[in-house]
Amino acid sequence: MTEPFRKTSESAVPAKDRLMVALDCPGDEALDMARSLSGHVRWLKVGMTLFYERGPDVVKRLSGEGFDVFLDLKLHDIPHQVQGAASRVAALGAKMLTVHAAGGAEMLKAALAGSREGAEQVGVSPPAVIAVTVLTSLSEADLSAVGLTSPAAVLVERLATLARDAGLAGVVCSPHEAAVVRGALGGSALVVTPGVRPAGFDSQDQSRVATPASAIRAGASHIVVGRPITGARTPVDVVHRIISEMEGES
Ligand code: C5P
């Protein structure tokens, strides 16, 4: 089975395909939003809230409407469980899936194996499995409180390398870590960055934001943007503004 996400050159990916819209709104609103974005974006990110509200059908439904679904469930459990969960996610037709790199090499390999098994069962391409390194919500003090005493940047690089060595397609990280991660993983890895705000937008509860252009410049292959789009009066206009900001950097 081919690995559709192992691309040879970042610049070969059109800016429209680098934007992932986070549908962090109640179910009906999320589905209406998806409909209004049809034809304007390729990727929608479904997180835990929407998934737990609407269940697996939401992935099938959005995929059926022509979107690529990034299912951000951040799996973290014993390898056997994660293998089973990744297999079911793949069989739903999700195109991207997250796991916590801190689950360790065996868990990461199990996620990859499960995603391939599930995809094969239904005859689709396996999703890209990418790893969450260090949650950007954790401060150095939070990390130290759970026994992680290295600086966050060191942990991020270490976990990104672990994910790469386990065969994963890439990682999720802050735009501020994208350059370090890109340097560690090389040009073909997926580097997916949330915490992105178009110039002039409120950062809301994101503590360290970057613009679409600066995230791409730092090495992001994809950016995740939620509320600046889903909370806008004219979401499609914001989508096009973000895409054109990225086009300046491709
Ligand atoms: O609305 P906003 O653009 O801030 O949404 C960002 C999305 O990225 C949310 O779905 C959030 O859960 C996710 N995310 C994040 N920071 C991380 C990991 C994921 O903001 N470190």
Side-chain angles (χ1 to χ4, degrees):
M1 192 86 65
T2 54
E3 291 274 6
F5 294 92
R6 290 211 180 272
K7 50 192 170 40
T8 48
S9 155
E10 272 177 72
S11 56
V13 180
K16 175 174 176 272
D17 294 349
R18 292 170 157 230
L19 172 62
M20 300 172 140
V21 179
L23 288 182
D24 299 325
C25 29
D28 288 339
E29 216 179 291
L31 293 171
D32 287 346
M33 179 58 57
R35 224 164 287 121
S36 75
L37 296 177
S38 180
H40 300 280
V41 298
R42 171 178 168 186
W43 286 97
L44 295 177
K45 183 172 92 70
V46 173
M48 290 184 215
T49 306
L50 181 57
F51 188 76
Y52 292 142
E53 181 190 338
R54 289 297 166 121
D57 275 352
V58 76
V59 178
K60 291 186 187 163
R61 182 159 171 179
L62 294 172
S63 302
E65 288 176 15
F67 293 102
D68 282 355
V69 176
F70 168 17
L71 191 50
D72 186 20
L73 297 182
K74 299 187 176 70
L75 303 177
H76 192 172
D77 203 332
I78 59 171
H80 178 254
Q81 271 289 352
V82 168
Q83 184 159 347
S87 156
R88 294 309 85 205
V89 165
L92 289 175
K95 295 289 197 316
M96 192 176 284
L97 161 71
T98 46
V99 294
H100 271 285
E106 289 313 309
M107 192 207 81
L108 297 175
K109 288 179 194 163
L112 207 54
S115 70
R116 287 174 178 157
E117 287 160 10
E120 201 171 331
Q121 280 168 16
V122 297
V124 297
S125 296
V129 182
I130 62 171
V132 177
T133 53
V134 177
L135 291 172
T136 48
S137 52
L138 297 174
S139 66
E140 303 271 344
D142 293 326
L143 292 169
S144 166
V146 295
L148 297 169
T149 49
S150 303
V154 172
L155 290 169
V156 167
E157 189 172 357
R158 185 174 185 151
L159 289 165
T161 306
L162 184 80
R164 180 203 58 199
D165 292 348
L168 267 58
V171 301
V172 183
C173 65
S174 151
H176 298 273
E177 292 150 359
V180 167
V181 168
R182 176 61 67 202
L185 301 188
S188 65
L190 295 175
V191 177
V192 177
T193 62
V196 174
R197 292 289 177 268
F201 271 67
D202 188 352
S203 60
Q204 295 161 304
D205 56 357
Q206 296 282 10
S207 52
R208 293 187 306 148
V209 297
T211 63
S214 61
I216 296 296
R217 225 173 10 246
S221 60
H222 295 77
I223 61 169
V224 175
V225 184
R227 289 161 294 174
I229 295 170
T230 58
R233 261 191 311 127
T234 51
V236 169
D237 290 346
V238 180
V239 161
H240 287 292
R241 180 172 159 188
I242 291 170
I243 291 170
S244 61
E245 278 194 39
M246 284 193 284
E247 273 164 351
E249 297 301 323
S250 296

